[in-house]
């Protein structure tokens, strides 16, 4: 049975434990074993930096154990995906694991900025801070888009369904 590491900012939701149980149950329903970061056992009575390091090591171990990573790449605290999730995707990709992402909006990144949030300067789109906006026909930064085997419009279960249909 292939193992899926479930990456995303869902761990910050108030009902994060329930979300993890739901995603793990969906994995089982589709013939996979789900590995959810909050399944790790961490001693929270330690000094904060030790807790952080223990969480990091435990999640790295889960990624290494996994065959596949499914990542929630929806914007988190801004226009970009969660930075921890992005790191997990990059690490998994470097290990040669297949990474799949899902997003509610898979339109081109450039089109996710309203007319008030961008302007054209020297034939280059820039944001309100004058920083160029990527325009490579991906819904997210090219480094993540190109490290993902596929980014699916939809939810976690849509990726699972896609994997089963591809007989992965």
């Amino acid at each position: 049975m292939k193992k899926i590491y479930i990456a995303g900012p869902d761990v910050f939701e108030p009902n994060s434990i329930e979300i993890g149980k739901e995603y793990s149950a969906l994995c089982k329903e589709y013939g996979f074993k789900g590995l959810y970061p909050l399944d790790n056992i961490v001693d929270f009575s330690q000094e904060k930096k030790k807790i952080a390091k223990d969480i990091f090591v435990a999640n790295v171990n889960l990624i290494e154990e996994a065959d596949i990573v499914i990542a929630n790449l929806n914007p988190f605290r801004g226009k970009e995906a969660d930075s921890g999730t992005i790191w997990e995707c990059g690490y998994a990709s470097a290990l040669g694991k297949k990474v799949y992402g899902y997003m509610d909006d898979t339109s081109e990144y450039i089109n996710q900025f309203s007319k008030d949030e961008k302007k054209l300067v020297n034939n280059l789109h820039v944001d309100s801070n004058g920083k160029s906006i990527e325009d490579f026909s991906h819904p997210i930064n090219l480094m993540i888009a190109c490290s993902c085997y596929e980014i699916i419009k939809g939810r976690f279960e849509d990726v699972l369904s896609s994997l089963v249909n591809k007989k992965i």
Side-chain angles (χ1 to χ4, degrees):
M1 176 180 294
K2 291 199 176 188
K3 297 175 185 174
I4 294 175
Y5 180 79
I6 303 164
D10 306 288
V11 297
F12 299 110
E13 295 292 341
N15 61 335
S16 57
I17 299 294
E18 291 79 16
I19 291 170
K21 287 179 182 176
E22 175 189 341
Y23 287 175
S24 291
L26 284 168
C27 285
K28 186 175 182 180
E29 181 181 322
Y30 282 88
F32 301 100
K33 179 178 181 184
L35 305 174
Y36 190 63
L38 297 183
D39 292 340
N40 291 315
I41 298 173
V42 175
D43 178 3
F44 283 88
S45 68
Q46 308 174 83
E47 183 261 329
K48 287 181 182 181
K49 287 186 179 178
K50 175 69 169 114
I51 295 168
K53 185 68 173 182
D54 288 354
I55 291 169
F56 172 82
V57 168
N59 289 349
V60 163
N61 289 340
L62 286 180
I63 293 167
E64 290 173 351
E65 181 183 343
D67 301 294
I68 298 166
V69 171
I70 296 178
N72 177 347
L73 298 177
N74 284 300
F76 179 71
R77 297 182 181 145
K79 281 207 175 287
E80 295 284 337
D82 169 52
S83 57
T85 302
I86 297 306
W87 186 91
E88 291 168 331
C89 290
Y91 183 64
S93 178
L95 293 175
K97 315 247 179 205
K98 284 197 175 178
V99 178
Y100 294 84
Y102 63 93
M103 301 176 74
D104 295 332
D105 182 359
T106 56
S107 63
E108 293 184 19
Y109 187 66
I110 191 85
N111 296 329
Q112 294 175 30
F113 287 77
S114 71
K115 289 180 182 180
D116 294 336
E117 295 175 307
K118 66 183 175 188
K119 62 184 174 182
L120 200 57
V121 176
N122 298 325
N123 291 324
L124 182 68
H125 287 282
V126 297
D127 65 16
S128 58
N129 295 315
K131 309 285 188 214
S132 63
I133 302 171
E134 282 194 17
D135 188 11
F136 295 108
S137 300
H138 290 297
I140 196 166
N141 177 280
L142 72 93
M143 295 301 288
I144 288 300
C146 293
S147 69
C148 288
Y149 190 74
E150 185 175 11
I151 298 174
I152 293 173
K153 179 180 175 74
R155 320 242 356 109
F156 182 78
E157 187 172 7
D158 297 320
V159 180
L160 289 172
S161 177
S162 173
L163 295 177
V164 168
N165 289 338
K166 291 175 182 156
K167 299 184 178 171
I168 291 178

